[in-house]
């Protein structure tokens, strides 16, 4: 079976960019930081070396990407602190940082435009939804899928052929390791997170209901059978010896329901026309690899000495196998 061995790598673009933006000290000949852009390419090379994908999708948050979820909860992602460099090499004030980050992002997209990767960005759509949609696309049925992100939201997309590689933790999470660590099945992970809440997205949860507590109190969340807010409520109402957690959950069903609608990726939050845009990008993909142009960008940015052999080899493989 030829199809069985094909591999798709799906990258949470902003997650990879910001991780490098914060830590990579590379500078352009102008003296401006360029670590987000160059570090991204190095990270891309690293994961290509690990997974040797046949196709690469890079998903970006669209313009007003979180608008639909903010309609569900106006506090979603509110009060986020701006991402800062954790190095003092170049003193940029806040406005300059914002500008520099935007410039680096544009440069990165210019690089990636020369490569045989599928970049997808859709207005009013978050990268998470694009990633979820791509995982379920019939083109990739039977492929092994590797999501690259440090975001726990993707635990819910793990399946027998879908894995999450978390670069900060340097961990590849599959279904058995997820169950071993958290005792919660991917089918029920969005519900568990909805109970626990998510500080990074400013979504409060049920008091003192962390993932560990949920695993201990609701062992059935580890089964493949899909639990819902209703089935959870039913369990809390009928439990023999109710504890504070059960009453807290029953008092907070609306909160859990709202969190779940925002966090779940089983049904991506996308309009029909947005789905068509993503489908088109996936189905009509015609890979091109403009190595000379890519190297011209490296020269422009004073990075020509960097070795990208593994990355280039993977790009060649994508072209040849097409």
């Amino acid at each position: 079976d030829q199809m069985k061995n094909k591999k798709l790598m799906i990258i949470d673009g902003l997650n990879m960019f910001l991780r490098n933006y914060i830590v990579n000290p590379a500078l352009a000949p102008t003296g401006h930081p360029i670590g987000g852009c160059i570090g991204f390419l190095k990270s891309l090379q690293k994961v290509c070396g690990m997974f040797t994908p046949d196709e690469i999708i890079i998903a970006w948050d669209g313009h007003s990407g979180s608008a639909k979820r903010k309609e569900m909860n106006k506090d979603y992602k509110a009060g986020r602190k701006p991402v800062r460099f954790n190095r003092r090499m170049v003193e940029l004030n806040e406005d300059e940082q914002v500008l520099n980050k935007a410039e680096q992002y544009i440069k990165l997209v210019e690089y990636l435009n020369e490569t045989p990767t599928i970049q997808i960005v859709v207005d009013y759509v978050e990268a998470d939804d694009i990633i979820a949609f791509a995982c379920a696309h019939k083109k990739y049925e039977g492929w092994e899928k590797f999501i690259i992100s440090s975001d726990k939201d993707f635990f819910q997309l793990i399946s027998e052929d879908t894995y999450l590689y978390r670069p900060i933790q340097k961990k590849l999470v599959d279904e058995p390791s997820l169950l071993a660590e958290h005792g919660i099945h991917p089918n029920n992970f969005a519900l568990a997170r909805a109970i626990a809440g998510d500080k990074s997205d400013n979504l409060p949860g049920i008091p003192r209901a962390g993932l560990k507590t949920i695993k201990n109190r609701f062992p059935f969340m580890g089964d493949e059978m899909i639990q819902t807010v209703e089935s959870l409520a039913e369990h809390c109402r009928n439990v023999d010896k109710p504890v504070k957690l059960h009453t807290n959950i029953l008092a907070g069903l609306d909160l859990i329901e709202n969190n779940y609608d925002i966090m779940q990726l089983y049904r991506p939050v996308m309009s029909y026309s947005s789905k068509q845009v993503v489908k088109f990008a996936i189905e009509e993909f015609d890979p091109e690899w403009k190595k000379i142009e890519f190297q011209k960008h490296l020269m422009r940015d004073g990075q020509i000495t960097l070795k990208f052999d593994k990355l280039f080899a993977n790009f060649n493989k994508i072209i040849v196998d097409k």
Side-chain angles (χ1 to χ4, degrees), residues 192-207:
R193 302 258 340 260
I195 301 166
D198 183 357
K199 280 199 182 72
S200 69
D201 282 342
N202 200 30
L203 297 173
I206 298 299

Side-chain angles (χ1 to χ4, degrees), residues 255-317:
L255 172 80
I256 298 171
E257 187 87 59
N258 186 263
N259 281 353
Y260 182 84
D261 288 344
I262 288 175
M263 289 173 163
Q264 67 81 26
L265 295 172
Y266 310 116
R267 294 181 309 281
V269 182
M270 297 163 81
S271 66
Y272 174 78
S273 60
S274 299
K275 286 178 182 170
Q276 294 309 107
V277 173
V278 179
K279 270 178 77 158
F280 184 83
I282 289 172
E283 290 165 15
E284 303 301 319
F285 171 56
D286 191 12
E288 267 191 290
W289 171 214
K290 304 189 196 119
K291 186 176 168 185
I292 305 289
E293 295 305 315
F294 188 93
Q295 286 171 319
K296 278 185 189 160
H297 292 316
L298 284 174
M299 209 176 291
R300 166 199 74 184
D301 293 329
Q303 307 293 329
I304 198 68
T305 55
L306 287 180
K307 291 268 177 287
F308 281 116
D309 311 1
K310 269 190 191 151
L311 186 62
F312 291 3
N314 204 122
F315 288 162
N316 289 333
K317 167 187 148 83

Side-chain angles (χ1 to χ4, degrees), residues 63-72 76 124-126:
H63 167 70
S64 297
S66 28
K68 287 201 176 73
R69 286 186 170 85
K70 282 193 168 126
E71 281 170 22
M72 301 179 201
Y76 175 65
Y124 307 110
V125 176
E126 289 194 69

Side-chain angles (χ1 to χ4, degrees), residues 209-233:
L211 290 178
K212 253 202 187 86
T213 311
I214 293 166
K215 162 189 169 176
N216 295 335
R217 286 283 171 194
F218 308 118
F220 54 84
M221 297 276 272
D223 303 334
E224 164 174 22
M225 189 174 148
I226 296 169
Q227 300 298 328
T228 60
V229 178
E230 286 75 41
S231 67
L232 178 74

